[in-house]
């Protein structure tokens, strides 16, 4: 088993290494599974949201540990299909920024909602994230490989969030909550162009 300190340090380094504000429409290549896999790792907004989903699921426990991340990935892929089909969705970028702040606050405040309410919140934000990335896929590319890579990276980031949350355990819920507050602060910084 990986020591909790090493896992936390790895997660922090992964977030710190992210390239902010390059993770949206028209930036980078979208023609391969590797491009899809690296894409969520290239933007602070994506990394914080996906880690926050995992942390929040770990704080909730029970079936939320697998239902909430699965809901995110499933709805994200549906949103990507809408984006690739050029179905318009309003407020995508504000929705993505709101997701960073809101999910960070849900973790920071350790909000305990029913699993179904968490699915609804996570699903709404996943729709925005997926749509943004679906619109990036060029007309001459199917986008399937890209989205497979994107989904795998998303699952990995959720798993890191869950592992950190579970590794901290009940004794260190405060650290998870501080991490949530940091996610919310990153979202505010992104919204105001500070980060």
């Amino acid at each position: 088993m990986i020591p909790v300190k090493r896992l936390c340090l790895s997660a922090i380094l992964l977030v710190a290494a992210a390239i902010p504000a390059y993770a949206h429409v028209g930036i980078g290549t979208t023609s391969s599974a590797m491009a899809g896999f690296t894409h969520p790792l290239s933007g602070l907004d994506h990394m914080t949201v996906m880690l926050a989903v995992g942390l929040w699921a770990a704080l909730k426990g029970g079936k939320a540990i697998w239902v909430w991340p699965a809901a995110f990935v499933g709805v994200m892929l549906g949103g990507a299909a809408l984006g690739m089909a050029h179905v318009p969705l309003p407020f995508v970028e504000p929705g993505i920024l709101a997701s960073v702040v809101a999910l960070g606050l849900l973790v920071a405040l350790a909000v305990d909602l029913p699993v179904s309410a968490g699915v609804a919140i996570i699903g709404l934000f996943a729709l925005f994230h997926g749509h943004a990335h679906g619109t990036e896929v060029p007309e001459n590319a199917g986008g399937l490989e890209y989205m497979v890579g994107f989904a795998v990276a998303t699952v990995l980031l959720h798993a890191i969030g869950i592992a950190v949350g579970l590794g901290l355990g009940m004794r260190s819920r405060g650290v998870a909550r501080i991490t949530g507050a940091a996610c919310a602060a990153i979202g505010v910084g992104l919204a105001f162009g500070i980060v």
Side-chain angles (χ1 to χ4, degrees), residues 25 121 151 187:
V25 178
I121 292 167

Side-chain angles (χ1 to χ4, degrees), residues 76 79-80 82-83 87-89 92 126-136:
M76 179 190 73
L82 292 174
V87 175
L89 181 67
V92 170
L127 181 66
F128 291 129
H129 282 268
H131 191 276
H133 301 295
T135 59
E136 295 174 331

Side-chain angles (χ1 to χ4, degrees), residues 126-186:
L127 181 66
F128 291 129
H129 282 268
H131 191 276
H133 301 295
T135 59
E136 295 174 331
V137 178
E139 298 255 348
N140 59 355
L144 182 60
E145 286 181 38
Y146 174 77
M147 291 315 297
V148 167
F150 192 82
V152 169
T154 298
V155 168
L156 177 65
L157 289 168
H158 289 329
I160 291 170
I162 291 167
V164 168
L166 293 177
L168 293 172
M170 296 304 286
R171 294 174 294 142
S172 300
R173 287 174 65 96
V175 175
R177 295 178 71 181
I178 290 169
T179 304
C183 289
I186 288 168

